[in-house]
Amino acid sequence: MKLTLGYSPCPNDTFIFYGLTHGRTPVSGVDIVESLDDVETLNRRALKTELDLTKVSFHALAYLREDYCLLKSGAALGRGCGPLVVSKNYKSMEELRGKKIAIPGRYTTAQLLLLLYDKDFDNIEVMPFEKIMPAVAEGRVDAGLIIHEGRFTYQGFGLNKLIDLGQWWESESGLPIPLGGILARRSLGADTIRAVEDGIRKSIGYSYANRTEAMDYIKRHAQEMEEGVINSHIELYVNSFSLDLGDEGVRAVEALFDKAVARGVISPSDKSLFL
């Protein structure tokens, strides 16, 4: 069976999926065909059900539950890893009211967190995440909602942090922040989905055990990041929740959706998160 798998070129995803997509931890009877895109492109492709398996933002999952279910492995979820709002000329979120904020996509969890923080921050411009910090630094937008390695590099653009929305979420909920998860088409069936889930866990273990081997692949897709930034990125976004969401991870996802429904940001769903 040939299955398409979409994930981003970010180091956490290429680290997670190296073994699975390079024949190191194969899934019996399954041929994985990789497709690398930025997270918002993956979100939109999932909305068209173009992929059998795919990484998406948890925000996007709110619109995908009819056709896709969440896997318990491969997720990006944790503490101290949330999106930041940064600016060059402004020092507080209050000063940003009415100002233009660049965001990395309408279906990103970063955007969902911004809406949960305050729905009035709605003067937005969508752009690829790697273009946000230069746009803020050059004054083309007033602030930026940054994700991924931006946590480690924004100061190099002369920007200051106004808020860490991950820390805000943690203080509000007491739970880690769910950023992105791996989905499977429900039509694949329980046996295939469980086999892929197990294959992802084994792939993560392989990359930990063979980091030097995996690093060549990771660097090839890392947009010229320094190796120190690559390693920091992996350490932050690949953790125990990536191996298995566990009870706490599931509670975090459910709490995110419950709050978004209560605020009127997304519609409720009676479809289970999992198969």
Side-chain angles (χ1 to χ4, degrees):
M1 178 190 302
K2 185 174 290 188
L3 299 180
T4 52
L5 166 64
Y7 56 94
S8 82
C10 293
N12 60 307
D13 281 352
T14 48
F15 180 92
I16 285 172
F17 291 111
Y18 172 75
L20 190 63
T21 58
H22 287 75
R24 306 304 195 263
T25 58
V27 177
S28 179
V30 173
D31 180 18
I32 299 289
V33 180
E34 64 183 313
S35 179
L36 275 66
D37 285 301
D38 68 272
V39 68
E40 183 66 357
T41 299
L42 292 172
N43 291 339
R44 292 181 180 278
R45 291 187 70 188
L47 288 167
K48 299 175 183 177
T49 59
E50 289 182 358
L51 298 160
D52 299 308
L53 311 159
T54 186
K55 171 77 171 284
V56 298
S57 304
F58 274 107
H59 185 187
L61 175 55
Y63 307 94
L64 295 167
R65 289 168 70 167
E66 192 65 33
D67 294 309
Y68 288 95
C69 62
L70 179 63
L71 302 189
K72 290 189 176 180
S73 59
L77 184 149
R79 299 182 186 274
C81 62
L84 311 178
V85 178
V86 298
S87 180
K88 184 175 183 179
N89 300 314
Y90 298 94
K91 306 295 183 183
S92 71
M93 292 298 287
E94 191 62 33
E95 290 180 82
L96 273 189
R97 292 193 179 280
K99 304 297 191 298
K100 181 165 286 188
I101 304 173
I103 67 168
R106 292 187 183 275
Y107 297 102
T108 57
T109 306
Q111 170 63 354
L112 177 58
L113 287 172
L114 183 63
L115 292 171
L116 292 180
Y117 177 77
D118 192 327
K119 288 174 71 173
D120 289 339
F121 289 106
D122 56 2
N123 183 7
I124 59 172
E125 181 175 339
V126 177
M127 61 178 65
F129 79 90
E130 72 274 9
K131 295 185 178 180
I132 289 178
M133 289 187 293
V136 179
E138 294 162 13
R140 290 184 277 121
V141 292
D142 299 300
L145 183 58
I146 61 171
I147 56 176
H148 301 323
E149 66 275 5
R151 289 187 64 90
F152 312 111
T153 59
Y154 70 90
Q155 291 171 317
F157 288 83
L159 307 178
N160 55 82
K161 179 178 69 176
L162 278 61
I163 190 171
D164 182 326
L165 287 169
Q167 286 183 355
W168 169 80
W169 165 261
E170 290 172 43
S171 67
E172 286 280 305
S173 68
L175 293 164
I177 175 63
L179 297 171
I182 309 302
L183 306 188
R185 292 180 67 136
R186 293 181 184 271
S187 59
L188 294 178
D191 290 345
T192 297
I193 289 172
R194 277 196 293 267
V196 169
E197 210 167 43
D198 185 56
I200 292 171
R201 291 191 188 98
K202 289 178 180 176
S203 185
I204 295 170
Y206 186 89
S207 286
Y208 275 126
N210 301 273
R211 195 157 181 151
T212 301
E213 176 190 334
M215 191 59 71
D216 288 340
Y217 175 68
I218 294 165
K219 284 181 176 178
R220 199 181 317 142
H221 295 287
Q223 301 193 17
E224 301 181 0
M225 280 186 229
E226 295 177 0
E227 188 161 335
V229 174
I230 290 173
N231 285 320
S232 295
H233 188 115
I234 293 168
E235 295 305 322
L236 186 61
Y237 295 108
V238 184
N239 51 40
S240 60
F241 292 113
S242 304
L243 288 166
D244 193 301
L245 283 173
D247 292 341
E248 186 180 31
V250 173
R251 287 200 309 273
V253 176
E254 291 174 343
L256 182 69
F257 287 157
D258 287 346
K259 186 176 285 290
V261 169
R263 296 280 182 90
V265 178
I266 64 172
S267 299
S269 172
D270 59 3
K271 202 80 173 179
S272 171
L273 285 171
F274 305 99
L275 188 66

